[in-house]
Amino acid sequence: MGAERIDKLLANTGRFSRKEVKELIRRRQVSVNGALVLRPETKVEPEGAVLRVAGEEIPCGGFTYLMLNKPAGVLTATEDRRQTTVLDLLPPELRRRKLAPVGRLDKDTEGLLLLTNDGVMAHRLLSPNYHVDKVYLAETEGTVDAADVAAFAAGLTLGDGTLCQPAGLEAVGENLCLVTLREGKFHQVKRMLAQRGKPVRRLKRLAMGPLKLDESLEPGAFRPLDGPEIAALTRCCGLPEG
Ligand code: URA
């Protein structure tokens, strides 16, 4: 990546609008490698640069990472002629950044959805080779029992012959369970629980590897990942940090 304007780099993180960056620079809150930035047009080579806003280090390796609390009723797609997609929930300046959802949640599934334009990370987070656990909270008809837990642990075979890798299952209340998967087959949680006679009524993703849903996000709200969250995801899929 070549040198970029500082206002563009900071706006690309999803944390500030260009207007906010200008104001922060005017208030002398922005520095690069320890030197104050005085003009929004200042060009910065992002590789290895340390950018700070009001003293806080802002990772800006050029990629954008957003956490969305996906509401039910919205499609996990980048565009659709008729239905609202997760990209439609973002403001125009973020929609322009070629962000894509990492994995697919069904239209009626809620919860953690990562949106990024870092294709390598997205691929690794979804690949079974990198063993990234996805954790779901499912509300079911009936409560899962020890036989269901054992069947999940052994690896279920679905009605159509699809083999599932061993998965975690834990009852956490009446009609409530946590499911932990390392793969993402079509409707997998719903099909696995249905196979055990416990159809899903409501499904929410809580975590993806080290990334946990920020429960302070209302359904439909999003926020950029912070530095430690990006670093943890980078580590968990074996990518070099920095
Ligand atoms: N499994 C499902 O059945 N649906 C989802 O949306 C995600 C995992």
Side-chain angles (χ1 to χ4, degrees):
M1 177 184 281
E4 296 247 33
R5 282 175 62 128
I6 182 83
D7 55 350
K8 179 160 184 247
L9 268 179
L10 285 173
N12 279 351
T13 63
R15 297 180 61 153
F16 320 94
S17 66
R18 284 230 194 169
K19 201 166 150 212
E20 285 165 340
V21 175
K22 282 199 175 68
E23 179 57 19
L24 286 162
I25 290 173
R26 200 188 60 73
R27 289 177 15 223
R28 302 181 153 241
Q29 298 289 304
V30 179
S31 70
V32 177
N33 300 327
L36 267 188
V37 173
L38 301 173
R39 287 152 28 100
E41 314 80 81
T42 305
K43 293 240 179 163
V44 175
E45 173 58 66
E47 189 81 42
V50 178
L51 270 65
R52 290 184 189 275
V53 172
E56 183 193 347
E57 186 169 342
I58 309 292
C60 52
F63 292 121
T64 302
Y65 305 89
L66 305 177
M67 168 191 303
L68 171 73
N69 184 1
K70 179 191 172 296
V74 171
L75 278 191
T76 307
T78 50
E79 55 184 3
D80 191 89
R81 285 221 243 128
R82 276 180 288 272
Q83 304 190 61
T84 308
T85 72
V86 289
L87 267 287
D88 294 330
L89 302 176
L90 305 181
E93 69 270 20
L94 285 173
R95 256 184 271 148
R96 282 196 285 272
R97 282 195 218 138
K98 297 190 165 51
L99 299 172
V102 179
R104 190 173 288 267
L105 293 179
D106 298 335
K107 188 173 170 188
D108 58 357
T109 301
E110 304 157 58
L112 176 64
L113 189 65
L114 176 64
L115 295 158
T116 184
N117 44 15
D118 180 346
V120 174
M121 180 188 280
H123 170 76
R124 291 196 180 194
L125 289 171
L126 297 175
S127 161
N129 297 336
Y130 290 91
H131 306 297
V132 180
D133 286 344
K134 287 92 188 168
V135 181
Y136 298 85
L137 178 67
E139 190 187 315
T140 50
E141 278 172 39
T143 303
V144 298
D145 57 23
D148 299 322
V149 174
F152 268 52
L156 271 187
T157 305
L158 301 177
D160 64 357
T162 303
L163 293 178
C164 300
Q165 287 185 7
L169 179 64
E170 184 191 350
V172 288
E174 198 179 334
N175 299 346
L176 270 187
C177 61
L178 289 175
V179 177
T180 304
L181 299 183
R182 284 191 175 165
E183 49 181 358
K185 300 188 197 301
F186 187 60
H187 296 329
Q188 186 163 353
V189 173
K190 291 176 185 163
R191 289 196 293 158
M192 289 174 84
L193 284 163
Q195 177 79 19
R196 297 297 307 171
K198 312 278 159 56
V200 170
R201 288 200 217 123
R202 199 168 165 189
L203 190 60
K204 180 174 181 181
R205 183 155 64 192
L206 301 182
M208 189 176 222
L211 189 64
K212 311 268 179 285
L213 176 66
D214 179 341
E215 297 279 357
S216 74
L217 288 175
E218 295 292 328
F222 70 91
R223 70 159 171 79
L225 299 194
D226 61 24
E229 285 169 334
I230 297 171
L233 279 180
T234 303
R235 273 196 302 277
C236 98
C237 54
L239 288 167
E241 280 183 67

